[in-house]
Amino acid sequence: MTPREVVIVGYGMAGARLADEIRRRDPIAERVRLTVLGAELHAAYNRVLLSAVVAGGMSAESVRLHDDEWAQRHNIDLRLGVDVERIDREKRCVELADGSAVAYDALVLATGANPWIPPVEGLEAGPGVVAFRSLDDCAKILDAARFGAPVAVLGGGLLGLEAARGLAGRGNQVTVVHPLGHVMERQLDPAAGHVLARQLTDMGVTFKFGATAARYLPGDGLKLDDGTLVPADLVVVAAGVRAETRLAVDAGLDVDMGILVDDVLRTSDGRIHALGDCARHPGAPAGLIQPAWEQAEVLADVLTGTNAAARYRGTTAVTRLKARGIDLAALGETQLEASDNGAEVLTFNDPTGGRYGKLVVRENRVIGAILLGLPDAAATITQFHDRGTPLPEDRLAVLLGRALPSGSTPAASPADLPAAAVICRCNNVTKGRLIEAWKAGATDTPALARATRATTGCGGCTDTVGGIANWLAAQ
């Protein structure tokens, strides 16, 4: 059997995960001959942990997803620092900037997304401005942000707050400029946003709400639309991203705020697929990595022919803020109130203690939740939500993490967890995959993390991965 020529354009988290999933199904390249084209000069890395790099808690090396021998070990033609100029659909090849071309039987676009720079005078061309998106951006931020120097962060969304917390942890004077009335408005309601902002304020972050940047003055800072000046030696832009669709548009593929894909991640050209941030599927939440992981599994099944019935039906993702000292999870329909479509809503608000909980229920099932400073509740409610388990009558016990789904028992040890239990939501690593990696020779916590790409630097995953390592060692 002649292997199919599969080319992946993009060696970020989505492209790297797809390559891994393909080789898990086809380890000796019997079905798929794989070429991966990456624009960056270094190996794929965990973008989720960039704030930890900025904070100084992790090195650039420690967030890499692959080592230097990964491609050779897995029979992958990996090319770094490659610019793809265009797709020739008629000849079925991608043309590179150096004049060469790579032929494909199936092409996958994993080109990700680019930072959006607001149209502010002096911002795009000015020195001292860095968009927070890549590992190279982290290096620029660390070079520019001297300890104690004032820094302005444009954007109070997930990425902006992670950058702000990391820089504040390094001793910088950080001001977050956000045009709306509370942070993380896509995931949080106003009450939760205010509690989170108060918690970050206690950690050294200042906020300017309801304000936008009017002009950037290099050496001075940001002048806002209300006339005030935010002193800043550095401006970090985290104002949102836009799907990278240039290749798709030039090739005549259907694009609408992303490359349109169906349930097998196929574009309007049946030989071309897309996944991750550059793709648009009606069931995929934007800006989160979990949909890309699930899409990679489906697409690997499709491209290797291992499961003809594989379909991507959408993702109900849990959003977590990766910031030291903060435990925040948001899932499902977080913006609903009690009067909305028969929803039952229970809230718990403790601003002084940095805690806020919101439970949204319909037909006795969890359809949304916000859990800030309530880690036990986050674990419990995620189980109720994922399993669709009916809630007990004591809703307060659920909100405080004191009730478990029917048939569950408290996971006093890793032995109590099923193999399908997700240990690391950052990278969708299950207990079963950790056990497989242990049997293959990864016999301590760092080795397990490397082998499975389980995150051990974001706070929530560390103790559980370590607990499973200790449990396996005792067997």
Side-chain angles (χ1 to χ4, degrees):
M1 180 175 64
T2 303
R4 299 179 74 199
E5 297 285 354
V6 174
V7 176
I8 302 174
V9 178
Y11 184 43
M13 295 182 75
R17 173 56 68 93
L18 175 60
D20 283 334
E21 293 293 342
I22 287 173
R23 280 295 171 258
R24 286 185 65 200
R25 292 156 177 78
D26 181 33
I28 61 174
E30 183 180 21
R31 300 180 181 184
V32 170
R33 186 178 292 117
L34 189 57
T35 300
V36 179
L37 307 175
E40 295 183 89
L41 292 171
H42 39 67
Y45 51 88
N46 190 336
R47 199 182 304 276
V48 172
L49 298 177
L50 291 183
S51 59
V53 175
V54 169
M58 302 187 75
S59 66
E61 182 68 22
S62 66
V63 301
R64 289 180 54 170
L65 295 175
H66 296 143
D67 58 38
D68 292 336
E69 289 75 41
W70 167 79
Q72 182 177 2
R73 191 166 59 247
H74 294 285
N75 300 304
I76 295 171
D77 180 5
L78 173 63
R79 308 184 195 183
L80 300 178
V82 171
D83 290 325
V84 178
E85 289 290 327
R86 64 184 294 268
I87 302 168
D88 189 325
R89 293 168 58 187
E90 184 177 346
K91 295 181 179 178
R92 294 209 300 269
C93 69
V94 290
E95 298 176 358
L96 310 184
D98 63 5
S100 63
V102 181
Y104 65 82
D105 295 313
L107 174 65
V108 180
L109 298 177
T111 49
N114 297 318
W116 177 68
I117 307 296
V120 175
E121 182 183 350
L123 191 63
E124 187 167 5
V129 178
V130 180
F132 185 41
R133 180 68 180 170
S134 70
L135 197 56
D136 290 338
D137 294 334
C138 289
K140 293 175 184 177
I141 290 171
L142 294 178
D143 286 342
R146 294 171 291 109
F147 288 98
V151 178
V153 176
L154 278 185
L158 189 67
L159 199 59
L161 296 186
E162 290 176 356
R165 175 65 183 100
L167 287 164
R170 291 175 54 85
N172 292 102
Q173 304 168 44
V174 182
T175 301
V176 174
V177 178
H178 193 55
L180 300 179
H182 70 279
V183 296
M184 291 182 63
E185 67 281 352
R186 288 173 55 189
Q187 296 87 10
L188 306 182
D189 60 17
H194 294 153
V195 175
L196 177 57
R198 177 172 175 169
Q199 195 171 3
L200 286 164
T201 299
D202 292 340
M203 296 176 177
V205 179
T206 300
F207 289 91
K208 292 284 188 180
F209 288 113
T212 58
R215 186 181 179 191
Y216 172 55
L217 305 170
D220 290 327
L222 278 177
K223 191 170 186 178
L224 305 184
D225 55 358
D226 63 3
T228 60
L229 181 70
V230 175
D233 289 357
L234 172 71
V235 176
V236 176
V237 180
V241 296
R242 299 292 184 269
E244 174 49 68
T245 61
R246 179 187 62 82
L247 290 173
V249 170
D250 291 348
L253 303 180
D254 291 346
V255 173
D256 180 10
M257 299 177 65
I259 305 168
L260 300 182
V261 296
D262 61 14
D263 290 352
V264 291
L265 291 311
R266 180 175 48 205
T267 71
S268 52
D269 181 327
R271 294 182 180 273
I272 303 177
H273 298 75
L275 80 165
D277 285 344
C278 71
R280 186 181 177 194
H281 182 284
L288 300 177
I289 196 58
Q290 190 176 337
W293 290 165
E294 297 176 10
Q295 290 169 1
E297 293 186 4
V298 170
L299 191 49
D301 281 342
V302 170
L303 294 174
T304 59
T306 52
N307 180 7
R311 297 292 184 274
Y312 174 69
R313 303 299 190 188
T315 299
T316 302
V318 178
T319 301
R320 295 184 183 274
L321 180 65
K322 306 298 186 298
R324 182 164 51 88
I326 297 175
D327 196 313
L328 170 65
L331 59 93
E333 300 183 52
T334 59
Q335 307 293 347
L336 293 183
E337 301 300 333
S339 59
D340 296 334
N341 300 321
E344 175 188 349
V345 179
L346 180 68
T347 60
F348 168 80
N349 197 347
D350 176 21
T352 303
R355 299 185 297 174
Y356 180 85
K358 180 177 185 177
L359 182 64
V360 185
V361 180
R362 183 180 293 129
E363 296 180 358
N364 207 30
R365 263 71 172 179
V366 175
I367 62 170
I370 302 171
L371 294 315
L372 174 58
L374 299 168
D376 291 340
T380 299
I381 291 172
T382 299
Q383 286 189 59
F384 276 111
H385 181 267
D386 289 351
R387 299 178 185 180
T389 308
L391 287 169
E393 292 183 3
D394 191 347
R395 301 285 199 261
L396 182 60
V398 176
L399 186 58
L400 298 179
R402 298 171 183 168
L404 289 169
S406 177
S408 299
T409 58
S413 80
D416 298 322
L417 295 171
V422 177
I423 303 303
C424 169
R425 279 190 170 270
C426 304
N427 286 321
N428 201 32
V429 179
T430 63
K431 174 186 171 183
R433 186 171 293 184
L434 289 168
I435 293 174
E436 290 176 8
W438 180 278
K439 291 178 179 178
T443 55
D444 58 32
T445 301
L448 278 176
R450 287 193 300 271
T452 62
R453 298 181 301 281
T455 298
T456 59
C458 71
C461 306
T462 307
D463 294 339
T464 313
V465 173
I468 289 199
N470 293 334
W471 168 67
L472 288 168
Q475 300 306 300

